[in-house]
Every structure is written in C-alpha cells, then in structure tokens.
Amino acid sequence: MNTRLSILAASIFLMGATHAALAADAPASGHPGTADPELRYKGAPTSIKGEEAQEVLTPKAPPLTTAEFARAKQIYFERCAGCHGVLRKGATGKPLTPDVTLPRGTEYLKVFIGFGSPGGMPNWGSSGILSDAEIDIMARFLQHEPPMPPEYGLAEMKATWKLKVPPEKRPKKKMNKLDLENLFSVTLRDDGKIALIDGDSKKIVSTIETGYAVHISRMSASGRYLFVIGRDAKIDLIDLWMKEPAVVAEIKVGMEARSVETSKYKGYEDKYAVAGTYWPPQFVIMDGDTLEPKKIVATRGMTVDTQEYHPEPRVAAIIASHEHPEFIVNVKETGKVLMANYEDINNLKVTEIEAARFLHDGGWDSTHRYFMSAANASNKIAVVDSKKQKLTALVEVGKIPHPGRGANFVDPKFGPVWATGHLGDDSIALIGTDPVKHKANAWKVVRTLKGLGGGSLFLKTHPKSKNLWVDSTLNPEAGISQSVAIFDIANLDKAPEVVNIAELAGLGEGPKRVVQPEYNKAGDEVWFSVWNGQTQESAIVVMNDKTRKLKAVIKDKRLITPTGKFNVYNTQHDIY
C-alpha cells in the first residue's frame, strides 16, 4: 500500500472509531447529533418510487449494476430524500452531488454512511438499518448524478383527473341529517382512507377511500366540500351534502405533496382550490368544485439568504387570505412566502416575500390578519401581514418549531399571543400578536413554557377554553409520547397537568403515540388520536375540556392508524 493510501486508510479507521464512540453516546434514535424526534421528522420517506426516476450514469463514478442502481434509488427515496432532497442538492441535510462525493471516494463515503456524523447524519450501518452490501451500493450510487424523477405538468394532471359527479348532478341542498359543523374528518393514515365521525354520537358515519398517507383535510368556505390530500399528491373532493358523503372528483397533482386549500375571500368562496407539491416543486390552482387544473406555478428560484439557485424548493403550508383574493404559499428551501392573487389567474400576480429558509407549517393569529409561519430548521417564526402583504417580523424561537396551525389565546400578563411547540426541545414559545393595544409585546417571545419533552407536533386551544393542550408525539420515551401537557391559560406560571391519554384508551400492545388535539365546534371537548400500529387496535380519546377528565373512547375495527382530525366548523373558519 502506498503512503497516500496508508494515510487514507488510517484516517478512515480513526473516523470510524470516532463515529462508533459517538454512536455509543447517541440519543435514543441511535443517530449521533440528532435527537429521535428530529430524525423522525426530517427523515420521512418520500412517496416517489425508485422506478419513476431516470438513471444517470457518471463516467468517473464506480460502476453499478442495474439491480444495484434500482436498490440504491429505493433506499435513497425511503431513507435520505427527506433530508437531502430528491435531487440531492441539499435541504435540511447537506448536498450529496458528485462534485461533493466523487472527491471523497467510495471508502470515505462507506464510513460516513455506516457511522454517521455529529452534524446529524444517521449511522445507518452501526445502527443495523443498512447492511454492509447496501452501504457499499449507496457509497457508489452517491458518486453518480442524481436520478431525475419526471416532471408533472398539465397533461399529466389531466390524465389523472376524474370528475365522478359533475356539479349540475349534485344535490341542490343538504340531503342528510348530519350535523356537518360538528363532523370530524379523521385521517386513517396507513389504511388509505379517512373516517367521517359524528361529533355528537361519536360514531363513524362512513369511511372513504382516499389513497396513500393522507396528510391534511381542508374545508371549503361554504362548509360543503371537504378536500383531502395524500403524500402521493392525490386530492379527493368529497361532497358532504350528499345523502352519503362521497368523492365527486379526484386528481393527482404531482408525485409528492403536503398541502391543499380553498379560496375564502368574499366573493370567491369555493371558486378555487390550490395544492402545492414537494415534487415537482410547484403549486397548481384548480376549479374549486371540479378540481380541473387551471394554472401551474413553479417555485424553483433563488434562496433568501445566499441568493443561490435551488432546483427543488418544496411547497409546504398553504393558507387562504381573508384580506385579499390570495393564496399564501410557503416555499420551503428558498424561504419565500408567495402571495398568489387569483382575481385573474391568466394574468397571475404573485407577491414574493423574503422570510427565512425551511418554511413549513403555521396558521393565523386571532385576527386572521397575520400569518405565523414556522421556518423550522432556521428556528424562527416568520410573521407575514396579509393585509399589507409584507413581512412584519422574524421571531427567534426554540429548536425546530412545529406549531401545526398554532394556538391563539390571551396571556393574562402579555395580552393576545400565538403559541408553538418544538420538535427539537421541550419549550413552548408564546409570541405577542397585538401591535395596537400591546405594542411592546408584539412579535416577541413574551413567555416560554416547559412541555413534557421534544417531539411535539401539535398544540391547541379554543376561544371558549381556558386550557392549552400540547402533545409530544415523536418523543422517544413512551410515557411522554403517550401523554399530553395541559396548561392553565389563566395561570401560566403553574406547571402543566400531565395526562396519559394512551392509558385512558385501554388498548393492547403497540407504540400508541398520542397526536393532535382537536376541539369540537362548541369548544368543550378535545379529541386525541391514539395512533397504534397498522395491525394493532387504535382509538380516539375524547376529553372534557373543562374538567380535563375522560369523556369517551371511540373504538372501531375501521379506525386503523388514526392521526390528524379536522372538525368541519373549526377548519372552515380557521379557529385554533
């Protein structure tokens, strides 16, 4: 072995020893430098299939067989794309393009993949997730040009569009006796369905086929139509006025997605729908009652900080403005908030607001004027004034804020606030939202509460409630992920009450993660999903908001992996 190779081998050996030591001291995830909640969130698999991406061979890269290339693509989309991006250009993880990987070489990359890094790269080998053979394949694969998934334009969308019941053949009035305003749309994540549950009787009205891993449900402004979008970018439009609510239109708007919304500005109620995709990076405006695609807008462009081109800026949360006929679109990797005016979609006006990179979820303040948007990997909340169409503030918060829609209430000391929990720590940040009567507190973290632990996905309150409920779904400790913290809004200095929701459900074996508090219309009940394995019994636990005691447990063999729940009235009117 020549001197250069000897030095390389020694450095690899030392790196392996160092990373092995780090792995031994790693948190519960087994991934050095990355807490378990953060890993589960960042590393979520993409719904893109390996066979959909075109192979690109690089002459200087080590060879791969067709079978090896296919396996590498599958591993990459399942394990790596969530952090490093579909095109490997970098997202919350570092770029893994050939200009970076080729100079490192196969042996270096094998050690890196096997043992991870303190910066958050998982130790795929020492944790036992990938075999030595798979690590070798991945080390060679990463030195080739990234496989390119196909684009998805108007022709592809229209090929999937199905208008099952035209508007003229739909009911002219509500044909059922359901109390739609207190109906819940519940995601049955791994069963490819949603369940419609009556909020009064706590019975499942029906389950409706929707497709892979439904992400959210959104209501039309009128409260008639329910829009459901899955991670596979399939949208189902459900007419709640029918005798038995059913899908009346469907479309696939890309290969991976998270967001759908409908027009809510006065005079445009139910006129348009919009959906944003992770791949391709774009959003599409559709007819609100048919889902016919009308206008596609790409989001590729320059980042707000370094002003460099990014080819894969994913579309995260979308919210409908109440101040203008606009959709407000979060563009993740570039850190831009786009305000798309739909008055004339053939001459679309888009206002571009520079916020912070890695925009994800968020919701309105109590006045429905200010959009509070989490730039999660930047540890900031961007405050966007939807009336003046500009950025109001960037607020530093805890590690990886994940508010869902957030929670609005009046702090007894600081006035109106909006709250977010965090994936990366146990803090709950309260941000002042009243620039008129509480100007000194506006757009600042006025109070920080201590939750049960990192891994919080959602928190919720209601205008009629005196409680703030906070989950810790992705925490690695079962006792924490199965419990919720309940804060007394009138006495926020007091430690929260802790309730083990999973225990109240009375289920058998399984992870039993508790996720997403959701209020009924009256604001006197809080619903929690007890999310178990696909072959294990799950449940929904209903708590009395006033007494904080168990009110009901909903069990049904059709209730498979329940996660998100969306009360029709609260979702329709942006109440949270």
Side-chain angles (χ1 to χ4, degrees):
M1 183 182 292
N2 63 34
T3 303
R4 184 178 178 184
L5 289 176
S6 298
I7 293 171
L8 175 62
S11 66
I12 290 170
F13 176 81
L14 289 171
M15 178 183 290
T18 302
H19 286 163
L22 286 166
D25 295 331
S29 69
H31 299 144
T34 307
D36 186 85
E38 186 177 347
L39 178 77
R40 292 193 199 184
Y41 168 70
K42 283 183 175 180
T46 174
S47 57
I48 297 173
K49 298 177 177 63
E51 61 268 22
E52 296 173 323
Q54 182 180 0
E55 296 175 10
V56 183
L57 297 174
T58 302
K60 294 181 180 180
L64 281 168
T65 67
T66 301
E68 288 175 333
F69 218 116
R71 177 61 180 147
K73 287 191 293 184
Q74 180 185 357
I75 291 171
Y76 185 80
F77 288 131
E78 288 180 355
R79 303 285 188 186
C80 317
C83 279
H84 298 283
V86 170
L87 300 180
R88 304 207 316 251
K89 297 285 188 180
T92 48
K94 301 290 186 183
L96 292 174
T97 44
D99 62 310
V100 175
T101 55
L102 268 172
R104 302 294 197 277
T106 302
E107 294 305 316
Y108 176 97
L109 292 170
K110 284 168 65 175
V111 171
F112 190 72
I113 295 167
F115 292 100
S117 78
M121 172 71 179
N123 54 323
W124 297 112
S126 61
S127 64
I129 295 175
L130 295 182
S131 67
D132 289 344
E134 290 172 325
I135 289 171
D136 179 67
I137 290 171
M138 293 304 295
R140 287 180 282 139
F141 166 77
L142 292 177
Q143 296 173 72
H144 290 269
E145 289 292 330
M148 175 69 76
E151 298 294 328
Y152 211 92
L154 188 64
E156 289 79 11
M157 290 183 196
K158 284 197 169 183
T160 70
W161 176 47
K162 296 178 182 177
L163 185 57
K164 296 185 174 184
V165 183
E168 62 272 15
K169 294 186 178 181
R170 297 174 197 166
K172 305 301 180 186
K173 61 181 181 179
K174 188 165 80 78
M175 301 300 290
N176 56 61
K177 296 182 180 180
L178 296 173
D179 179 4
L180 295 185
E181 292 188 338
N182 203 30
L183 191 70
F184 287 76
S185 174
V186 179
T187 297
L188 306 179
R189 189 185 186 281
D190 298 328
D191 200 35
K193 298 175 183 175
I194 63 156
L196 296 179
I197 302 181
D198 177 63
D200 297 322
S201 69
K202 312 294 188 291
K203 301 292 185 183
I204 294 179
V205 174
S206 64
T207 60
I208 299 174
E209 296 272 356
T210 51
Y212 170 73
V214 166
H215 194 66
I216 58 171
S217 296
R218 289 289 181 259
M219 287 304 307
S220 67
S222 67
R224 173 176 184 169
Y225 291 115
L226 178 66
F227 294 77
V228 176
I229 190 165
R231 291 170 62 100
D232 60 354
K234 180 174 177 283
I235 304 172
D236 290 280
L237 176 62
I238 299 166
D239 187 354
L240 298 178
W241 279 14
M242 298 175 76
K243 185 175 181 180
E244 295 183 3
V247 175
V248 293
E250 66 179 51
I251 192 171
K252 187 172 167 63
V253 294
M255 302 178 75
E256 185 175 10
R258 298 291 188 277
S259 53
V260 68
E261 182 61 291
T262 68
S263 53
K264 292 185 176 180
Y265 188 70
K266 187 176 180 180
Y268 291 88
E269 297 92 339
D270 295 18
K271 184 173 177 62
Y272 291 117
V274 63
T277 47
Y278 271 24
W279 186 266
Q282 60 193 31
F283 63 90
V284 57
I285 298 174
M286 302 159 282
D287 276 343
D289 58 358
T290 68
L291 297 184
E292 181 180 4
K294 294 294 187 180
K295 185 78 172 181
I296 302 172
V297 181
T299 56
R300 292 177 171 102
M302 302 299 180
T303 61
V304 297
D305 45 12
T306 57
Q307 297 287 300
E308 36 186 348
Y309 178 76
H310 200 294
E312 193 187 337
R314 298 173 288 182
V315 175
I318 301 177
I319 199 163
S321 175
H322 298 272
E323 298 284 352
H324 301 281
E326 291 177 337
F327 293 122
I328 303 176
V329 181
N330 271 352
V331 185
K332 203 177 187 77
E333 276 69 32
T334 56
K336 295 176 181 177
V337 178
L338 305 181
M339 309 183 89
N341 187 298
Y342 48 72
E343 285 180 290
D344 181 359
I345 62 172
N346 293 319
N347 297 283
L348 193 71
K349 296 177 183 178
V350 179
T351 302
E352 182 180 287
I353 297 172
E354 292 193 356
R357 293 187 70 182
F358 312 114
L359 293 164
H360 189 63
D361 56 346
W364 293 115
D365 78 308
S366 60
T367 68
H368 292 168
R369 172 174 172 173
Y370 296 96
F371 177 38
M372 313 290 290
S373 179
N376 48 41
S378 296
N379 302 329
K380 292 179 173 66
I381 298 295
V383 182
V384 176
D385 185 341
S386 67
K387 185 174 183 177
K388 292 187 176 180
Q389 301 164 306
K390 67 178 186 179
L391 183 71
T392 296
L394 286 175
V395 185
E396 294 278 351
V397 289
K399 188 176 181 184
I400 312 179
H402 194 285
R405 289 290 185 108
N408 289 295
F409 57 93
V410 178
D411 184 295
K413 182 177 180 181
F414 300 106
V417 295
W418 176 91
T420 180
H422 298 84
L423 279 156
D425 63 38
D426 62 4
S427 69
I428 299 154
L430 275 53
I431 299 172
T433 59
D434 181 5
V436 179
K437 295 182 180 179
H438 298 81
K439 187 175 181 179
N441 301 329
W443 323 129
K444 299 174 184 176
V445 175
V446 295
R447 191 192 296 265
T448 300
L449 307 177
K450 183 178 174 61
L452 300 183
S456 176
L457 288 179
F458 302 101
L459 75 177
K460 196 67 67 81
T461 188
H462 187 277
K464 296 180 180 178
S465 173
K466 296 179 181 179
N467 296 316
L468 173 67
W469 301 72
V470 186
D471 71 23
S472 297
T473 310
L474 296 185
N475 194 282
E477 294 186 28
I480 294 177
S481 67
Q482 295 175 3
S483 299
V484 299
I486 314 164
F487 292 88
D488 181 353
I489 289 173
N491 187 6
L492 292 167
D493 293 325
K494 182 182 177 183
E497 180 180 352
V498 180
V499 175
N500 190 312
I501 299 293
E503 195 173 83
L504 295 176
L507 301 175
E509 295 182 349
K512 300 186 286 290
R513 287 166 287 181
V514 172
V515 62
Q516 203 224 17
E518 176 76 352
Y519 277 83
N520 63 346
K521 179 191 175 185
D524 57 10
E525 294 177 356
V526 191
W527 293 36
F528 288 92
S529 297
V530 184
W531 172 20
N532 222 347
Q534 188 169 2
T535 60
Q536 296 160 321
E537 186 180 30
S538 293
I540 290 175
V541 170
V542 181
M543 301 293 290
N544 183 310
D545 181 68
K546 185 176 181 179
T547 65
R548 303 180 178 181
K549 302 298 183 184
L550 178 66
K551 185 169 185 178
V553 177
I554 303 173
K555 292 183 179 179
D556 190 295
K557 65 181 180 180
R558 295 170 290 176
L559 205 58
I560 299 170
T561 60
T563 52
K565 302 163 298 304
F566 304 89
N567 173 268
V568 166
Y569 184 86
N570 293 337
T571 305
Q572 176 189 356
H573 295 282
D574 292 321
I575 295 172
Y576 37 82

